[in-house]
């Protein structure tokens, strides 16, 4: 009698990056990202803020808004009654960026199946936008709701455009929330700076991200929230498909907080590396392996891990950033091999 053996899938740690790069040459940046972080890793459409205000993550997010308009003011982006030159330029820039990405993907033999896009999360977007009277939109409940709904409605149309242009089979949505915790604690200053805006209610945060996740699940899109400490946000910890942690200076106690999320099958985006990693790749990989095993997680679960930079790419020249992509990939491969052989 022939005995059938069951073999587990190979362990494969991926690599990616937060998405913001220096410089002004988007085509060159796309080639570098996809050349280093292509299949099986997680490439992205880069953000190059040095190209101007219309090329930032904030402008890209404003470009997605449906039936909600913004215009440039001396203090930032202000909600308006109609389209503006600034918002039209943001939309045109985003559309052109997608087309450029599609041209690059069209030339590839192995296109892979993953693509990551970054936008400003709805809470930080409401902090960054101003009402017509000059106050921050986060101060008004109706404005917060309108911004959220406009973003969700508009996002669907843009996702259709992106899917058609790139042919990606699995899209990851990275929502950046640098102001989320400050908003929850009621520490966002008013436009005058003399007082602070009332704290964002926890139930509203949960409702907002619950709606976003429901919307994205219908499109089979994975959600991640970055630039905030998800460990401290009990209200929405369970909502994202991928959780981002900056583990650069983690103690063993910090690593233990990751374990429950891994056990629930969440994807883990771990920012673990800094500059000048190359000579320390084996050490870094072994450190990650040791931390992973010490908290009792199985080797196979490392396939849920994507290694990231620690959000310093925008401070590097593009050559150094490219080298870091390579080092992230090599660290991911080293970690995969250690786990596979153990």
């Amino acid at each position: 009698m022939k005995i059938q053996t069951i073999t587990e899938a190979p362990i494969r740690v991926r690599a990616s990056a937060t998405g913001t790069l220096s410089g002004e040459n988007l085509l060159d940046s796309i080639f570098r990202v996809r050349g280093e972080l292509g299949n099986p890793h997680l490439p992205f459409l880069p953000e190059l803020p040095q190209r101007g205000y219309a090329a930032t993550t904030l402008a890209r997010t404003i470009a997605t808004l449906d039936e909600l308009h913004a215009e440039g003011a001396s203090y930032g982006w202000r909600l308006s009654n109609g389209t503006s030159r600034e918002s039209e330029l943001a939309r045109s820039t985003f559309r052109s960026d997608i087309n450029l990405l599609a041209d690059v993907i069209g030339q590839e033999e192995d296109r892979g199946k993953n693509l990551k896009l970054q936008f400003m999360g709805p809470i930080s977007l409401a902090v960054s936008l101003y009402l017509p009277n000059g106050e921050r939109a986060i101060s008004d409940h109706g404005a917060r709701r309108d911004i959220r709904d406009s973003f969700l409605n508009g996002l669907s149309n843009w996702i259709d455009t992106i899917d058609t242009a790139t042919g990606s089979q699995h899209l990851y949505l990275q929502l950046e929330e640098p102001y989320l915790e400050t908003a929850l604690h009621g520490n966002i200053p008013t436009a005058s700076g003399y007082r602070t805006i009332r704290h964002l209610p926890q139930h509203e945060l949960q409702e907002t991200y619950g709606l976003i996740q429901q919307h994205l699940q219908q499109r089979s899109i994975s959600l991640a929230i970055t630039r905030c400490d998800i460990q401290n946000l009990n209200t929405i910890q369970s909502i994202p498909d991928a959780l981002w942690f900056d583990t650069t200076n983690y103690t063993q106690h910090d690593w233990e907080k990751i374990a429950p999320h891994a056990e629930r099958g969440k994807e883990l985006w771990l920012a673990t590396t800094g500059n000048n990693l190359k000579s320390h790749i084996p050490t870094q990989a072994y450190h990650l392996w040791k931390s992973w095993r010490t908290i009792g997680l199985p080797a196979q679960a490392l396939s849920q891990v994507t290694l990231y930079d620690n959000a310093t790419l925008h401070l590097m020249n593009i050559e150094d950033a490219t080298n870091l992509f390579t080092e992230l990939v090599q660290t991911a491969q080293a970690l995969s091999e250690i786990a596979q052989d153990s």
Side-chain angles (χ1 to χ4, degrees), residues 62 65 67-73 75 77-88 91 129-133:
I62 290 170
L65 297 179
E67 298 185 359
L68 196 63
H69 307 285
E71 61 186 359
Y75 45 82
W77 288 88
R78 173 179 61 194
L79 294 173
S80 62
N81 293 326
T83 60
S84 67
R85 179 180 64 86
E86 295 86 1
S87 62
E88 285 302 311
R91 291 188 182 93
L129 287 173
Y130 291 83
L131 299 170
N133 65 8

Side-chain angles (χ1 to χ4, degrees), residues 164-178:
T164 300
T166 67
S168 295
Q169 299 175 38
H170 195 130
L171 187 64
Y172 286 79
L173 200 67
Q174 174 185 319
L175 296 186
E176 299 189 347
E177 287 285 10

Side-chain angles (χ1 to χ4, degrees), residues 232-251:
N232 296 326
L233 301 176
N234 295 328
T235 303
I236 59 170
Q237 265 189 7
S238 63
I239 292 177
D241 302 288
L243 300 174
W244 185 86
F245 300 93
D246 186 352
T247 62
T248 307
N249 297 309
Y250 265 20
T251 64

Side-chain angles (χ1 to χ4, degrees), residues 196-316:
T196 56
I197 295 168
R198 186 177 181 274
H199 70 88
L200 180 75
Q202 289 274 354
H203 69 83
E204 185 177 332
L205 173 63
Q206 187 173 30
E207 177 188 12
T208 293
Y209 269 99
L211 287 172
I212 290 173
Q213 178 65 322
Q214 181 182 12
H215 183 87
L216 296 180
Q217 281 181 338
Q218 294 172 353
R219 304 292 301 265
S220 298
I221 298 170
S222 294
L223 169 67
I225 305 172
T226 63
R227 295 183 65 189
C228 65
D229 190 351
I230 197 73
Q231 293 186 79
N232 296 326
L233 301 176
N234 295 328
T235 303
I236 59 170
Q237 265 189 7
S238 63
I239 292 177
D241 302 288
L243 300 174
W244 185 86
F245 300 93
D246 186 352
T247 62
T248 307
N249 297 309
Y250 265 20
T251 64
Q252 198 59 50
H253 176 69
D254 294 321
W255 274 95
E256 289 171 357
K257 298 176 183 177
I258 292 178
H261 303 297
E263 290 167 351
R264 289 201 300 270
K266 294 285 186 180
E267 291 190 39
L268 303 175
W269 292 4
L270 305 183
T272 60
T273 59
N275 301 345
N276 303 316
L277 172 66
K278 192 167 187 177
S279 62
H280 305 292
I281 287 172
T283 302
Q284 177 74 13
Y286 179 76
H287 169 72
L288 290 167
W289 168 247
K290 182 179 178 181
S291 298
W292 189 261
R293 294 299 289 150
T294 300
I295 58 177
L297 292 172
Q300 202 67 30
L302 276 169
S303 291
Q304 300 165 219
V305 169
T306 301
L307 298 187
Y308 266 68
D309 66 289
N310 59 353
T312 59
L313 287 175
H314 65 290
L315 302 176
M316 302 180 186

Side-chain angles (χ1 to χ4, degrees), residues 123-200:
I123 307 305
S124 295
L125 180 60
V127 172
S128 302
L129 287 173
Y130 291 83
L131 299 170
N133 65 8
E135 191 50 84
R136 294 181 185 273
I138 191 73
S139 64
D140 184 273
H141 177 268
R144 297 195 299 267
R145 181 195 60 229
D146 290 345
I147 289 169
R148 177 200 68 198
D149 293 347
S150 176
F151 174 60
L152 279 177
N153 292 337
L155 188 62
S156 291
N157 296 328
W158 281 98
I159 288 172
D160 289 338
T161 300
I162 293 163
D163 283 346
T164 300
T166 67
S168 295
Q169 299 175 38
H170 195 130
L171 187 64
Y172 286 79
L173 200 67
Q174 174 185 319
L175 296 186
E176 299 189 347
E177 287 285 10
Y179 304 120
L180 177 52
E181 292 174 90
T182 309
L184 286 172
H185 294 141
N187 293 328
I188 299 292
T190 58
S192 67
Y194 291 118
R195 60 184 181 85
T196 56
I197 295 168
R198 186 177 181 274
H199 70 88
L200 180 75

